Amino acid sequence: MTAQLIDGKACAQAIRHEVTKEIEQLKSQNASFRPRLAIIQVGVRKDSSTYVRMKCKAAREAGIEADFISLAEKITEQELLAQIASLNEDPLIHGVLVQLPLPSHIDEDKITTAVTASKDVDGFGTFNIGELNKKNGKPFFLPCTPKGIIELLKRNGVKIAGSKSVVVGRSDIVGSPVAELLKSEDSTVVMTHSKTENLPAYIADADIVVVAIGKPEFVKGEWFKENKKGAVVIDVGTNFVEDSTKKSGYRNVGDVEFNEALKYVKMITPVPGGVGPMTVAMLMQNTLIAAKRELESGGKLCKFEALSLDLQKPVPSDFEISRAQKPKHISQVALEAGILPSELEPYGSVKAKVNLKLLDRLKDKEDGKYVLVTGITPTPLGEGKSTTTVGLAQALGAHLNKTVFANVRQPSMGPTFGIKGGAAGGGYSQVIPMDEFNLHVTGDIHAISMANNLLAAAIDTRMFHESTQKDAALYKRLVPAKKGVRKFTLTMQKRLKKLGINKSNPDDLTPEEASRFARLDIDPETITWRRVVDCNDRFLRGITIGEAPTEKGFTRKTGFDISVASECMAILALCNDLNDMRERLGNIVIAASKAGEPITCEDIGCAGAMTALLKDAIKPNIMQTLEGTPVFVHAGPFANISIGANSVLADKMALKLAGVDPTLTEEVKKERVGYVVTEAGFDFTMGGERFINIKCRSSGLTPDVVVIVATVRALKVHGGGPEVKAGAPLPAAYLNEDVELLRKGCANLAKHIANAKQYNLPVIVAINKMSSDSDLEHQVIKEESLKAGAEDAIVSNHWEEGGAGAIDLAQGIIKVTQEDTNKDFKFLYDVEGSVEDKITKIAQNMYGAKDVHFLPEAQKKIELYTKQGFSDLPICVAKTQYSLSHDANLKGVPTGFTFPIRDVRASIGAGYLYALAAEIQTIPGLPTHCGFMNVEVDEDGEIEGMF
């Protein structure tokens, strides 16, 4: 019998043509689809070079970009691993192949295993081989040669199911994998090898014989003589034997004695021209599969896995719930969020920082949807704004399978150990672990404190030295000679530029120029920079410094603020990159000279060192919710005198991670786009107004929707309900249905809705459900919300049910953000107006004031800042959060009042002026019973008693 040849070349060509056609079709549907294969070759072996050229040529013909990376033979194992790690992380690379063999000093197993499983198009890695050998395993890729063998059999009409197969050879690359694939196709498989006794007897009974033993013509043709059925033979061998008749001096033979086997077998693959071409075709097919997976996943690095909740009733304490949940490792949270390992800087297992280089990698992505969560005017009963932020994120991510980030500010430890408690959310909608969240996180607030206090020390030190030295000595000490050479530092060069002194050599300054440069001549009465501490230490509100005899009588009165009230914190929240932070720190105005000129941090020479202290703090922190969705926790500017929101950088980072490829169709974009749920301090009228007019101006971002959180109980307070006292039982009005009281209170909600609509932004009201609410009360809130202009008002029970309780709210958010509803977005005021006009517009349009009264100190400061060129900045009004007005006792929607501005201060580095409307304390005090009294650490080092 003369065997039929199995033409591997023709079969491979057909497969490569199919791959090419599919790539062309996908490219026509999506211009960004560009399959890309990276091939690493170490050394210059001729056979390896031939194979690499063949693979690169096949890739180009198929429409696959092939990056050939040639590395020196002497490269170290660590250097090669670093190269592979870089390719693993490159989102533009879909397949990574390391050409074997490698030099003897490199561990091949270690190298092939280092290729990430989702890019291991050779299929040699531990994961893919391991999954192949598991029952119901799910490898990303099948090894190319074994996969090609199965494809050859199928395309040549060979029946595999029910057949008897013999595999000769047990290598991890061919023998073992092909045996597993034959078994998966329902063949009965026998694995043999060179030591198998009576091997011809196995072959005599086989339907299919796969030979991959690596020995030339090991399987003799006559062994098939007794096989009356006529076997199908797949010869995987590629061996070179001496042949003097050939020009090269050798010829290529397989592992089967080909010419003799032809007489007895039914079908056989030639060598060359059999399995070899199929291996390359399968490599192209695997690369296409990898690129399609990336396309279908929308660029996600791995699938999101939600954490399940064990919901209990009654709902346990926040701390018990947090402690009961086992968080995912932060590296898994980050990978699911689309953050590369090289962009992650873990601080233990549950929190990490994210490097800003992520923004460069994702700069071309279209932003995700930006959801701003605010509330009604706060009451002692609380509205659950943070809880809603977390619950909404859990609903979007863990239940609706959307890419989502909750972005919240880092809480100060002052309130944590005071009376307010933590800010991690509550019930089954929390950031976890709550103790890590509410304490140090990654130390950003400590870094802020150090930077702030360094500047404070520098100010007093500078005044001390100026008062005790003459001009020449002062200049000499400020610009000392090092190894006989004097140089101006970068910060000194900036001061020279400000003074209009165009000289670079310190020795060239005239005495008058040296004096102007060295002597700041700070007016102590104008110093606004204070020291900070992250503790509610009321006795530091006013202090006298310089009492030590070494200070030679140089004393002055000053005080401390809480760390989050520092302008450094506002700068951290508002800066757009490291250079922007450095510039803003330099622009901080700390005082005026006796001549009335502004004195800056740059003049003091402190900005570079402060930037160094904050170089890690600028990187956003990532944690997770109870259901495993990612949370950015970054920056925490004091909500009364600053923006009270998390950082611009965290929002920008999250929006890119939640974003989409701009080349996708609009329909696909709508399906894939993710959501960033970020929170403003206090209510919309206070926190939301600042968020938009200050933060959005700095970031260039615009919310897609405003969520206003309200509760039945809090609205009843604004409707004129009985006074609520801490620790006292709630009056009956808050526990029983009272529609009339509630409807009156809805006026406060309506005012916030109307205020948000002034920016042409859509509004959804989140009704934070409580057990004492009635359906009728919820209906009343919805009626009043729609009447006031809200797109919808949706009941959410996330506190009791986690993300599942916020699904309706999440679906409402999705619906509104799919529409182009904010195309007419506008700010409340133009920054070019006068300070008085901007404050008046905020007070009248947002708060409902009749007019504004500027006290003498405020008028004096406005004149000074206008003269100094700072009038064209946005305004932050510092006032009570408990009323739309300046008076905490005025509930509901007060009107006709005069809004008093007692002082105006400057945060030039942060980029705004802030007007003080009442006696706002910049460092709170501690109550009689403090939060810290409940905190303990058990014998295992676990913190207990936080709330």
Side-chain angles (χ1 to χ4, degrees), residues 498-574:
K498 174 182 174 180
L499 296 172
I501 301 173
N502 188 24
K503 294 179 180 178
S504 58
N505 186 347
D507 295 326
D508 291 345
L509 268 65
T510 66
E512 187 217 353
E513 289 172 337
S515 175
R516 287 174 57 215
F517 169 83
R519 199 163 291 282
L520 303 181
D521 202 22
I522 296 170
D523 180 355
E525 297 299 318
T526 66
I527 296 173
T528 55
W529 199 257
R530 290 154 62 96
R531 288 161 174 81
V532 298
V533 62
D534 197 31
C535 178
N536 289 0
D537 192 343
R538 68 172 69 238
F539 285 92
L540 293 178
R541 289 172 178 167
I543 63 169
T544 302
I545 61 172
E547 293 286 0
T550 51
E551 310 325 310
K552 302 179 181 179
F554 180 75
T555 63
R556 69 180 181 90
K557 291 188 180 298
T558 180
F560 274 74
D561 295 331
I562 197 162
S563 295
V564 291
S566 170
E567 187 176 347
C568 294
M569 179 61 88
I571 289 171
L572 183 71
L574 292 168

Side-chain angles (χ1 to χ4, degrees), residues 521-695:
D521 202 22
I522 296 170
D523 180 355
E525 297 299 318
T526 66
I527 296 173
T528 55
W529 199 257
R530 290 154 62 96
R531 288 161 174 81
V532 298
V533 62
D534 197 31
C535 178
N536 289 0
D537 192 343
R538 68 172 69 238
F539 285 92
L540 293 178
R541 289 172 178 167
I543 63 169
T544 302
I545 61 172
E547 293 286 0
T550 51
E551 310 325 310
K552 302 179 181 179
F554 180 75
T555 63
R556 69 180 181 90
K557 291 188 180 298
T558 180
F560 274 74
D561 295 331
I562 197 162
S563 295
V564 291
S566 170
E567 187 176 347
C568 294
M569 179 61 88
I571 289 171
L572 183 71
L574 292 168
C575 68
N576 291 282
D577 54 43
L578 191 62
N579 289 333
D580 186 28
M581 182 173 76
R582 168 65 178 80
E583 192 70 21
R584 287 171 180 265
L585 289 170
N587 290 339
I588 291 171
V589 173
I590 56 94
S593 69
K594 290 173 183 173
E597 294 297 319
I599 303 297
T600 66
C601 175
E602 202 73 78
D603 293 323
I604 297 289
C606 220
M610 293 168 71
T611 305
L613 287 168
L614 298 175
K615 73 176 181 63
D616 290 320
I618 195 175
K619 302 168 188 172
N621 309 299
I622 189 167
M623 295 184 72
Q624 64 192 288
T625 68
L626 279 167
E627 296 189 60
T629 57
V631 181
F632 276 115
V633 183
H634 196 221
F638 199 64
N640 288 98
I641 66 163
S642 187
I643 62 167
N646 69 286
S647 75
V648 164
L649 281 168
D651 284 358
K652 285 188 170 183
M653 199 172 273
L655 285 165
K656 290 301 180 188
L657 288 165
V660 291
D661 187 328
T663 63
L664 296 173
T665 64
E666 291 304 313
E667 184 179 348
V668 174
K669 284 181 186 178
K670 283 185 177 182
E671 176 60 30
R672 289 190 178 176
V673 72
Y675 295 80
V676 177
V677 185
T678 193
E679 189 179 344
F682 299 136
D683 57 9
F684 177 84
T685 297
M686 194 170 175
E689 180 270 316
R690 297 170 184 174
F691 184 98
I692 294 170
N693 289 309
I694 298 176
K695 183 177 178 181

Side-chain angles (χ1 to χ4, degrees), residues 75-108:
I75 191 172
T76 67
E77 195 173 86
Q78 283 304 115
E79 288 171 331
L80 179 54
L81 288 169
Q83 179 73 57
I84 293 171
S86 176
L87 294 171
N88 284 342
E89 289 201 343
D90 188 342
L92 300 178
I93 299 290
H94 301 107
V96 178
L97 181 155
V98 181
Q99 183 64 39
L100 302 179
L102 291 169
S104 59
H105 68 281
I106 294 176
D107 185 334
E108 284 190 0

Side-chain angles (χ1 to χ4, degrees), residues 120-125 128-129 132 139 141-149 172-174 177-178 181 279 282-283 286:
D120 174 29
V121 287
D122 246 348
F124 288 166
N128 286 319
I129 290 293
L132 175 61
F141 306 101
L142 299 176
C144 294
T145 300
K147 181 181 180 184
I149 291 168
D172 291 336
I173 294 175
V174 180
V178 81
L181 291 178
T279 300
M282 293 301 99
L283 176 62
N286 278 353

Side-chain angles (χ1 to χ4, degrees), residues 830-905:
D830 294 325
V831 291
E832 289 76 18
S834 72
V835 175
E836 293 93 338
D837 286 348
K838 286 179 282 193
I839 293 173
T840 300
K841 192 153 195 177
I842 294 170
Q844 291 180 338
N845 290 35
M846 293 286 103
Y847 309 152
K850 181 180 179 183
D851 52 39
V852 178
H853 176 55
F854 295 91
L855 276 67
E857 181 63 22
Q859 291 175 333
K860 176 183 172 184
K861 292 286 186 64
I862 291 171
E863 289 172 8
L864 173 64
Y865 296 143
T866 301
K867 179 182 176 183
Q868 292 177 337
F870 301 139
S871 61
D872 288 348
L873 290 174
I875 304 294
C876 176
V877 178
K879 74 174 192 70
T880 178
Q881 69 268 34
Y882 293 117
S883 171
L884 285 166
S885 73
H886 60 287
D887 185 349
N889 296 314
L890 298 179
K891 303 298 182 187
V893 187
T895 56
F897 56 90
T898 297
F899 194 76
I901 299 295
R902 65 178 177 87
D903 196 4
V904 176
R905 295 178 185 171

